Amino acid sequence: MSKPGQLVLIALRKMIASGELAAGERLMEIPTAELFGVSRMPVRMAFRTLEQEGLLVRFGGRGFQVRSVSANDIAGAVEVRGVLEGLAARLTAERGLSPEGRAALELCLLQGDELFDKGFVTEDDLEAYHDLNMRFHQVIIEGSHNPAIADALARNDHLPFASVTALAVDRKDMAREYRRFNYAHMQHHSVFDALVNGQGARAEAMMREHANATLRYAEIFSSAVASERMRVILRAD
């Protein structure tokens, strides 16, 4: 996906998580493109990705509608991902990382260190983290040599905020986002240490805990439902 598409995707995902876009709201390409100052193509790609993630549903052949999602929906999907990725980490630790897998994980850790060592992050940094985070998780899943795990994760990824790619960023509080993502990166280091030392139970526990970082979306969602904040409505003229 293009950079404009990524920016629109992350922004809309955050608006849905925070409740700015309420369940049932209609989203149309043209007003959304005008809101973000982009062409219709990035918006179209973002809509399709959010549909795959279970956050949008098609509305009568024209545009999309925000799906009704509860904090329990998010928590349940994240719990399943934690179990599956934890199993993958345990199997990978017990089987042993391949030289290629170890090198790939070490590169992810090095790139992450470079992002966070300066003490702050930009939106470009978090886009880069999104990519290296995907690679880190994928190497572990492949290292398990259990295709059923990947298949089960692919099905679970269609649930709201369940996918490891479902990155929502609060641009108004980048200091907090730095702390959140830096903590997740430190967890990557701990998972890697368990993997290279063949500590299956520890690797499994760390990956399950790592998935819980996503539960912040559930907390945001609960807060949004409880409050009567102003909602941003995108609809056709």
Side-chain angles (χ1 to χ4, degrees):
M1 185 181 294
S2 66
K3 185 173 181 178
Q6 282 285 356
L7 292 175
V8 173
L9 172 63
I10 292 172
L12 288 176
R13 194 185 282 135
K14 173 63 172 60
M15 292 167 75
I16 294 171
S18 68
E20 291 182 74
L21 286 173
E25 289 292 351
R26 289 186 60 186
L27 298 178
M28 306 295 288
E29 285 184 9
I30 293 177
T32 305
E34 291 174 349
L35 177 69
F36 290 106
V38 298
S39 67
R40 295 175 65 178
M41 182 57 69
V43 172
R44 187 174 304 148
M45 297 304 295
F47 282 177
R48 289 176 181 173
T49 299
L50 291 171
E51 180 188 22
Q52 292 171 355
E53 293 178 0
L55 294 176
L56 296 181
V57 293
R58 291 187 181 273
F59 184 84
R62 289 193 61 197
F64 290 83
Q65 193 172 47
V66 178
R67 176 181 170 182
S68 177
V69 181
S70 71
N72 286 337
D73 293 333
I74 298 173
V78 171
E79 183 178 18
V80 170
R81 177 162 68 84
V83 170
L84 292 170
E85 291 192 331
L87 174 59
R90 178 170 65 80
L91 293 176
T92 300
E94 292 173 350
R95 296 175 186 273
L97 275 170
S98 67
E100 296 79 11
R102 177 167 182 158
L105 294 182
E106 287 176 335
L107 179 59
C108 289
L109 295 178
L110 177 62
Q111 291 173 335
D113 289 344
E114 292 174 350
L115 288 177
F116 296 109
D117 279 352
K118 62 182 181 294
F120 65 91
V121 288
T122 65
E123 291 183 24
D124 286 343
D125 290 333
L126 293 182
E127 184 178 344
Y129 177 81
H130 170 272
D131 294 339
L132 71 86
N133 185 55
M134 284 179 56
R135 293 198 305 273
F136 188 90
H137 285 250
Q138 190 60 39
V139 169
I140 294 173
I141 293 165
E142 292 173 354
S144 72
H145 297 287
N146 186 336
I149 295 176
D151 290 343
L153 281 169
R155 290 193 293 273
N156 195 60
D157 284 350
H158 291 292
L159 299 175
F161 294 105
S163 172
V164 71
T165 66
L167 177 65
V169 176
D170 186 353
R171 293 180 173 83
K172 297 179 181 179
D173 195 349
M174 293 299 284
R176 182 174 62 177
E177 296 299 69
Y178 168 80
R179 294 191 297 271
R180 181 162 70 98
F181 286 100
N182 184 49
Y183 177 69
H185 179 61
M186 291 301 100
Q187 288 181 316
H188 282 180
H189 275 280
S190 296
V191 170
F192 177 76
D193 182 73
L195 292 174
V196 297
N197 286 291
Q199 299 170 328
R202 178 175 171 234
E204 180 173 18
M206 286 300 306
M207 282 299 282
R208 293 185 68 164
E209 175 60 27
H210 184 53
N212 285 335
T214 311
L215 290 178
R216 177 171 175 270
Y217 299 142
E219 295 168 2
I220 293 172
F221 208 90
S222 294
S223 176
V225 170
S227 68
E228 294 296 331
R229 69 178 59 185
M230 183 70 71
R231 298 188 185 280
V232 177
I233 302 176
L234 305 179
R235 53 166 63 100
D237 294 334

